[in-house]
Amino acid sequence: SLGYGREIVMLLQHLMQMAYILPPLGSSTAVVRHRMLTMDVSERGGIGTLQTGRQDGLHGTGYHFMPMTAMPNEPSPALVAIAGAYPGLSAQQLLAPQPLPLPEQGRWNYHRLIADGLPGGFVAVPGSSLLVSSPNTVAVVCSSESLGIELADGAVYEVLALIDRSDPATTNPSAMSPKHFYAFSDTDEVVHIRWIEALPQGWRVLGKLLYTQIPFVKRPGSGGGFAEMDDDFEF
């Protein structure tokens, strides 16, 4: 998977060439010396052009091969604009950031951030099919306590609520489902992230919660001597 197939073929071809130019058994010392001096040494280090058209010093020349890794064929990590902190977030803050373009699956892209392009900053999150299908998503930095999330050690942490601002319920409140969590704006334009049975009078849907990204938290008492019981153990 690292692309060594072509390099192995080149190496085998070079070994075959070396075997071809070796003198037959019993040849004189002068003949052997002449054959060695006329060997193709174009792949030694230095500046020059190989018969393949590649310059010395590049990958695959002089028996040097770069370490490489390929992106997996899955959603790539993404940069998501931060709308603000919750609780205390306003509807205007949630709707303000312009989303950053997401990279194609298995690729990456580049961002040139200007001074006021993302006033709330941005955060890198793992790629997911949910993000790919919801490009108008922003992140809200929340306290785990404000969302009712309890982590393994009982402490309060910052978590990321990923809000899709293009959910159908934002333009058609009847599309809202009480089974899902949404970012609502009340009559004072204050944001509430929660589920609700029916939309209160004067409230509106600003976006749907795709998921909440939580940090890794080690469970108290884990790793008590048996590797299989440790949170960091991988089968």
Side-chain angles (χ1 to χ4, degrees):
S1 60
L2 294 179
Y4 288 151
R6 184 169 182 272
E7 286 73 19
I8 292 174
V9 171
M10 292 173 57
L11 179 59
L12 290 175
Q13 290 176 343
H14 198 89
L15 291 175
M16 291 175 66
Q17 292 173 357
M18 291 180 64
Y20 173 76
I21 64 174
L22 288 177
L25 293 176
S27 299
S28 66
T29 303
V31 172
V32 173
R33 178 176 176 79
H34 173 74
R35 291 290 184 91
M36 293 181 67
L37 289 175
T38 56
M39 288 174 61
D40 178 14
V41 293
S42 61
E43 290 200 275
R44 292 184 304 184
I47 299 177
T49 302
L50 302 180
Q51 293 177 354
T52 58
R54 288 184 296 170
Q55 291 184 340
D56 288 348
L58 301 183
H59 171 72
T61 62
Y63 312 115
H64 290 75
F65 306 101
M66 292 182 181
M68 293 181 285
T69 180
M71 294 283 288
N73 186 26
E74 58 188 38
S76 301
L79 289 179
V80 179
I82 298 175
Y86 178 86
L89 186 70
S90 69
Q92 182 179 2
Q93 288 175 307
L94 183 64
L95 299 176
Q98 293 295 317
L100 293 170
L102 298 177
E104 297 179 18
Q105 180 165 299
R107 304 294 181 90
W108 61 82
N109 55 8
Y110 305 95
H111 299 289
R112 183 175 178 272
L113 303 179
I114 58 178
D116 299 324
L118 290 173
F122 57 90
V123 61
V125 297
S128 73
S129 57
L130 280 174
L131 274 179
V132 172
S133 61
S134 307
N136 192 23
T137 295
V138 294
V140 177
V141 181
C142 310
S143 69
S144 55
E145 186 178 42
S146 69
L147 299 180
I149 298 174
E150 297 181 8
L151 284 91
D153 61 357
V156 176
Y157 291 88
E158 286 186 346
V159 299
L160 299 174
L162 281 300
I163 307 294
D164 174 21
R165 301 177 300 179
S166 294
D167 186 79
T170 59
T171 56
N172 179 17
S174 64
M176 187 193 77
S177 170
K179 296 181 179 180
H180 297 144
F181 288 78
Y182 295 87
F184 300 101
S185 173
D186 64 17
T187 54
D188 294 322
E189 294 291 292
V190 176
V191 171
H192 303 267
I193 301 175
R194 55 167 298 169
W195 67 268
I196 201 168
E197 288 286 351
L199 196 63
Q201 185 69 30
W203 284 40
R204 59 191 175 117
V205 179
L206 302 178
K208 178 184 176 182
L209 176 73
L210 290 181
Y211 59 89
T212 300
Q213 183 73 57
I214 65 175
F216 171 79
V217 176
K218 196 173 184 67
R219 185 172 60 251
S222 61
F226 295 95
E228 308 86 60
M229 303 299 293
D230 196 294
D231 285 344
D232 298 327
F233 179 77
E234 295 184 1
F235 289 94

